[in-house]
Amino acid sequence: MTDPRTTRGQVLAMLRDQGPMPRAEIARRLALSATTITRVVNELEADQVVAEGQAAAANGAGRPANTLHILSESCCVGAIQLGIGIVQLGLFDAMGRCRASDQFSYAVDKPADKVLQLIARALDRLCASAAIDRGALLGIGVAVPGPVDAAGRRLLISINLHWQDIAVAEMLEKLTGLPVTVEHNVRSMALAEVRFGQGKGIASVAFVYLRTGLGAGLVVEGQPFSGGVHGAIELGHLPVIRDGAACVCGGRGCVETVLSEAALRATLERLDIDPQPNALTALWTAARTRRDAARALDAIVNPLAMGLSALTTLLNPELVLLGGALADIPDELLEQIVQASWRGAFPAIRMSIRMERSRLGADVGLAGAAAVALDRFFYA
């Protein structure tokens, strides 16, 4: 894939991904002339974005060179994770560290423009509480629950919110006076894993997220995969259940008809199982002693495994990370899902793909929005 970044962005990305290094080493790895590196680094130092630090160990004769590193406090971006009925907000530095965060709930039937107004006011309050001038933010990244346009400006559709063709970037820019970029929520989570998590240095990473629904995102050679019409991988809407129930998307037998917050809640209510602390964990625990719970668990694990098998067979990512509610399940249940997925995957690729739980935690969506903002406004 072609690297879309400027030379400045390539230098910064090299320091972010590989750590501090001398100018000569940066020039060698990026195949740039010493003159070009000197010019770019001098500009970055003048802007107080990078600084020279501790000397690197010499590999031979001569004086060791000072290494360059990013000044993490040199920039701050806003991050918005727009969920179904909940919004998370954060302020992040250049290295993806969260400096402040907050969240609020909203009624899912509230119009999009009203929700965006609430977001703008909440961002003002967060900046004030963190003693950060809102005008000093480089920009805002917004992770949304649905596919976005190629320009990263509009949420095209959100089935669970009943929103369609919402000009998120334009509306928030008018409310905040800051540049805004928009990305599909699960694709942004995959990007966060590649930039700051377990996917760092891995050529292709898929992220699977379970919360309100089941979605997936893919990053290839460091860039979010945006192929197809809208670039979204709608894993939850694969119709894999024969004679299955109607889905909110209009199809039948989709994975989400058994594996979503609403579907899990209905299953546990039917079986009179307490959903705490995690619906899947509660069902797995009951399944160890109850046949009805075991049958219900199989009816969830098998469609999920079919979806994951299709994902790995078609896209062949090196690493598949399971996030959201899937990251909190017991090791035994995780292993059951992984083994069931491999049974349906193309045999030749089973041994070359890893499937693990994400370790970015409950704030992975916020980290994703920050990664999108940093890519667009700092590492560009």
Side-chain angles (χ1 to χ4, degrees):
M1 296 179 69
T2 302
D3 193 333
R5 294 169 296 207
T6 62
T7 301
R8 176 188 174 106
Q10 289 177 330
V11 170
L12 289 173
M14 179 69 68
L15 294 174
R16 175 197 63 202
D17 297 338
Q18 305 298 327
M21 65 180 66
R23 299 185 188 204
E25 181 62 14
I26 297 173
R28 186 187 69 79
R29 295 193 186 193
L30 294 178
L32 296 172
S33 68
T35 300
T36 298
I37 283 294
T38 297
R39 174 181 57 79
V40 172
V41 169
N42 286 347
E43 290 174 357
L44 290 170
E45 286 183 319
D47 292 340
Q48 297 184 320
V49 172
V50 303
E52 289 189 318
Q54 186 176 2
N59 292 322
R63 203 170 82 187
N66 283 336
T67 59
L68 289 164
H69 64 273
I70 294 173
L71 297 171
S72 61
E73 68 278 9
S74 62
C75 95
C76 187
V77 296
I80 310 293
Q81 158 72 349
L82 176 59
I84 310 301
I86 189 167
V87 171
Q88 290 180 288
L89 308 94
L91 302 173
F92 286 74
D93 69 18
M95 297 302 289
R97 288 185 283 262
C98 187
R99 298 174 59 179
S101 64
D102 198 4
Q103 65 180 43
F104 67 86
S105 300
Y106 68 92
V108 293
D109 59 353
K110 188 178 286 291
D113 61 334
K114 301 300 183 184
V115 175
L116 294 175
Q117 289 171 17
L118 292 176
I119 289 173
R121 291 198 289 271
L123 183 62
D124 277 343
R125 292 193 297 270
L126 182 61
C127 288
S129 67
I132 295 174
D133 180 8
R134 188 190 71 186
L137 300 182
L138 284 185
I140 302 170
V142 186
V144 296
V148 302
D149 67 328
R153 305 285 295 171
R154 308 178 74 89
L155 168 59
L156 299 177
I157 188 170
S158 177
I159 293 173
N160 290 301
L161 286 176
H162 306 291
W163 291 3
Q164 189 166 353
D165 198 22
I166 306 299
V168 174
E170 180 181 350
M171 295 166 72
L172 269 181
E173 285 173 348
K174 289 179 179 178
L175 291 166
T176 65
L178 294 167
V180 175
T181 187
V182 183
E183 179 59 283
H184 181 263
N185 56 357
V186 187
R187 192 160 59 221
S188 76
M189 296 173 195
L191 184 65
E193 287 285 3
V194 169
R195 297 290 182 254
F196 311 116
Q198 294 156 259
K200 205 166 186 178
I202 297 177
S204 55
V205 177
F207 191 90
V208 177
Y209 184 76
L210 171 64
R211 195 62 70 189
T212 302
L214 182 71
L218 180 69
V219 174
V220 179
E221 298 296 343
Q223 301 302 316
F225 173 75
S226 301
V229 179
H230 301 311
I233 302 173
E234 296 293 351
L235 184 63
H237 296 292
L238 280 178
V240 297
I241 305 171
R242 186 180 180 87
D243 300 323
C247 181
V248 294
C249 72
R252 299 193 69 89
C254 298
V255 180
E256 279 193 17
T257 60
V258 295
L259 189 60
S260 64
E261 282 187 339
L264 286 169
R265 185 167 55 249
T267 297
L268 294 183
E269 287 177 357
R270 175 172 57 82
L271 298 174
D272 194 24
I273 297 172
D274 184 349
Q276 302 301 325
N278 174 298
L280 272 176
T281 299
L283 182 58
W284 174 81
T285 301
R288 301 171 78 178
T289 57
R290 292 175 50 179
R291 290 185 179 180
D292 57 349
R295 288 193 297 269
L297 184 63
D298 286 343
I300 291 170
V301 169
N302 292 335
L304 172 60
M306 291 173 69
L308 293 174
S309 297
L311 177 76
T312 55
T313 299
L314 292 172
L315 300 178
N316 289 199
E318 286 186 48
L319 175 65
V320 178
L321 292 171
L322 306 180
L326 293 174
D328 300 328
I329 59 178
D331 290 342
E332 294 90 338
L333 179 54
L334 176 66
E335 184 62 20
Q336 181 180 343
I337 292 170
V338 171
Q339 291 305 316
S341 301
W342 290 156
R343 284 196 294 273
F346 185 59
I349 66 173
R350 291 175 190 166
M351 301 306 294
S352 59
I353 298 177
R354 291 156 43 209
M355 189 177 295
E356 303 172 0
R357 71 177 81 238
S358 168
R359 293 195 289 268
L360 284 184
D363 292 334
V364 62
L366 203 54
V372 169
L374 288 168
D375 266 23
R376 175 66 178 83
F377 303 118
F378 186 74
Y379 291 102

